Amino acid sequence: MRIDAVTIFPEIFNVLDVSLLGKARESGLIDFTAHNLRDFTSDAHRTVDDSPYGGGAGMVMMAEPWALALESIRSSAATESTEDDDAAPAPVLIIPTPSGHVFNQKLARALAPEEHLVFACGRYEGIDERVYEWAAPRFRVLPVSLGDYVLNGGEVAVLAMIEAIGRLIPGVVGNPESLVEESHEDGLLEYPVYTKPSTWRELEVPEVLLSGNHGKIARFRRETQLHRTAKRRPELILDIDPASTNRKDRDL
Ligand SMILES: Nc1nc2cc(Br)ccc2s1
């Protein structure tokens, strides 16, 4: 997978050089490039923002640098692509914004097979809306939000999405089994986990987990998932599609 991020703070993405994704980059599973939006300006001050039409506080990111940056990425990808332009699907342009569709595990799974993801990291009050319109014939544009809170910019949201998507790419995570029983993989929150010692500061591990009875353990875990989800995220219980989980102990 090729991933490009456009930002005025490219150094934020240096963190991707370490840990899991750093190894995925070394092994060629993920090819990541951060692009400085200011490199696509033409004035001495490398200006990327201006005051909003209609008034209001803050500044808006100007459209032209974005069009130049995104076009540069698109044409470099077309040059590198082995497929002819018509055959290769348009890259997905993901724009983090508080007004976007909710990003969740289902969307991360849907994006993991994509060949090319482009992330646009907005700052200030956001990006001129005409960039979304300009991009629509050239990219599959996806405005997304990570939750109902406001950040100072899209970079931290993009880091989270790159990690959530990247770890689903075959070969990135050592043991693919570890991706199966996780929160949200089957529509529920994950069950609590324990390790040695079995008694810690007078606190015991649930007896059933020491029983070696795999059927009872699986049922215990499913019950704790349902209880925890009902308590903390009841809305997820309403979303469960029985056909979507291929768990052996689905009868609980
Ligand atoms: N939750 C989010 N807040 C923000 C703020 C800015 Br500025 C840009 C993107 C995002 S995504």
Side-chain angles (χ1 to χ4, degrees):
M1 176 185 284
R2 172 172 169 169
I3 303 177
D4 292 280
V6 182
T7 169
I8 58 172
F9 295 119
E11 62 276 16
I12 287 180
F13 292 96
N14 292 347
V15 70
L16 292 178
D17 294 337
V18 297
S19 81
L20 205 62
L21 289 179
K23 293 187 179 65
R25 290 177 75 183
E26 280 165 26
S27 61
L29 284 170
I30 295 176
D31 168 27
F32 176 80
T33 307
H35 306 263
N36 190 334
L37 182 67
R38 295 192 191 278
D39 292 345
F40 298 91
T41 59
S42 50
D43 66 306
H45 299 290
R46 293 160 59 88
T47 309
V48 294
D49 62 308
D50 206 332
S51 52
Y53 279 119
M59 302 292 272
V60 172
M61 300 191 94
M62 296 154 66
E64 185 61 11
W66 281 105
L68 295 174
L70 294 173
E71 192 50 57
S72 161
I73 289 167
R74 204 172 68 105
S75 50
S76 84
T79 307
E80 286 169 16
S81 170
T82 52
E83 292 180 274
D84 64 67
D85 284 4
D86 300 338
V92 183
L93 174 60
I94 300 169
I95 308 179
T97 168
S99 60
H101 305 287
V102 174
F103 181 81
N104 54 24
Q105 192 67 10
K106 186 175 178 181
L107 185 49
R109 279 201 296 272
L111 291 170
E114 288 291 341
E115 284 295 314
H116 189 190
L117 301 180
V118 183
F119 289 92
C121 303
R123 283 262 149 184
Y124 312 111
E125 298 308 310
I127 301 171
D128 187 308
E129 189 68 15
R130 290 169 292 183
V131 172
Y132 293 76
E133 296 168 42
W134 170 85
R138 297 166 173 88
F139 297 88
R140 285 174 282 159
V141 181
L142 198 57
V144 294
S145 164
L146 264 64
D148 297 332
Y149 49 84
V150 181
L151 301 168
N152 289 329
E155 288 82 3
V156 167
V158 169
L159 281 171
M161 287 189 273
I162 289 175
E163 176 149 330
I165 297 163
R167 63 195 296 276
L168 298 177
I169 296 172
V172 171
V173 170
N175 173 13
E177 262 301 297
S178 66
L179 295 176
V180 175
E181 299 205 347
E182 289 185 322
S183 271
H184 304 291
E185 265 312 309
D186 59 1
L188 292 175
L189 301 184
E190 59 194 355
Y191 49 76
V193 291
Y194 303 83
T195 189
K196 301 180 186 65
S198 61
T199 301
W200 172 72
R201 297 193 180 195
E202 297 177 11
L203 297 170
E204 302 285 340
V205 169
E207 195 64 36
V208 65
L209 297 180
L210 309 176
S211 69
N213 183 323
H214 297 297
K216 281 187 177 177
I217 291 169
R219 279 192 292 280
F220 168 80
R221 285 174 166 173
R222 185 71 178 174
E223 282 166 7
T224 52
Q225 276 188 281
L226 287 165
H227 178 74
R228 176 176 272 193
T229 307
K231 192 173 172 197
R232 296 179 184 174
R233 297 289 302 278
E235 75 279 8
L236 293 180
I237 294 274
L238 304 176
D239 279 353
I240 285 186
D241 166 11
S244 72
T245 54
N246 57 357
R247 303 287 298 270
K248 292 184 286 300
D249 53 6
R250 270 293 297 149
D251 54 335
L252 283 169

